[in-house]
Amino acid sequence: MEREDYFFGSPKINISNKVYALIIYDITDDKMRTKFAKLLNGYGNRIQKSGFEINVNRSKFDKLLKQISKYCGNSDSIRIYKINGRSEVIKFGVDNTPNQEDVTII
């Protein structure tokens, strides 16, 4: 078992412009599901076959939200869980999530 602590800006203490979220989905069409996974790869890390963790700035998160509806058909489901404040992730088993570092290009 592995534990990771996270602290992200909450409405009461806005210390960050970052958004940490878990996106899970059930898309029935294979081509659309593949396209959606490719989209999410640009925003975060795949943690399960149909689950991604993202940690991006607010404007990038808003850009992602505007794109999502075109991937969701009548029988599909896409859920986004925004995580604010102090959070903990408890992991069991294999963790193939790469370490994500903030990069600033000047």
Side-chain angles (χ1 to χ4, degrees), residues 2-52:
E2 181 181 345
R3 292 177 182 259
E4 293 181 1
D5 288 328
Y6 294 95
F7 186 84
F8 298 95
S10 67
K12 293 180 183 175
I13 307 171
N14 191 6
I15 63 167
S16 174
N17 189 31
K18 291 284 195 173
V19 175
Y20 176 65
L22 174 65
I23 301 175
I24 57 172
Y25 56 92
D26 185 9
I27 299 174
T28 56
D29 181 82
D30 290 339
K31 288 183 182 180
M32 194 60 71
R33 185 174 54 249
T34 300
K35 287 179 182 180
F36 188 62
K38 286 181 181 180
L39 171 73
L40 293 179
N41 269 326
Y43 289 88
N45 300 307
R46 177 176 258 163
I47 56 167
Q48 295 285 316
K49 289 185 178 182
S50 295
F52 279 78

Side-chain angles (χ1 to χ4, degrees), residues 31-98:
K31 288 183 182 180
M32 194 60 71
R33 185 174 54 249
T34 300
K35 287 179 182 180
F36 188 62
K38 286 181 181 180
L39 171 73
L40 293 179
N41 269 326
Y43 289 88
N45 300 307
R46 177 176 258 163
I47 56 167
Q48 295 285 316
K49 289 185 178 182
S50 295
F52 279 78
E53 285 179 337
I54 64 168
N55 184 8
V56 296
N57 64 41
R58 176 139 330 263
S59 63
K60 196 167 183 180
F61 180 73
D62 292 340
K63 180 181 174 185
L64 173 63
L65 289 181
K66 290 176 183 174
Q67 299 178 67
I68 287 181
S69 63
K70 66 183 174 186
Y71 295 94
C72 192
N74 291 335
S75 60
D76 300 331
S77 172
I78 300 172
R79 298 176 67 102
I80 301 171
Y81 296 90
K82 286 176 51 180
I83 301 170
N84 292 316
R86 182 133 180 94
S87 301
E88 180 181 45
V89 176
I90 301 171
K91 303 177 190 179
F92 294 89
V94 177
D95 178 15
N96 295 326
T97 306

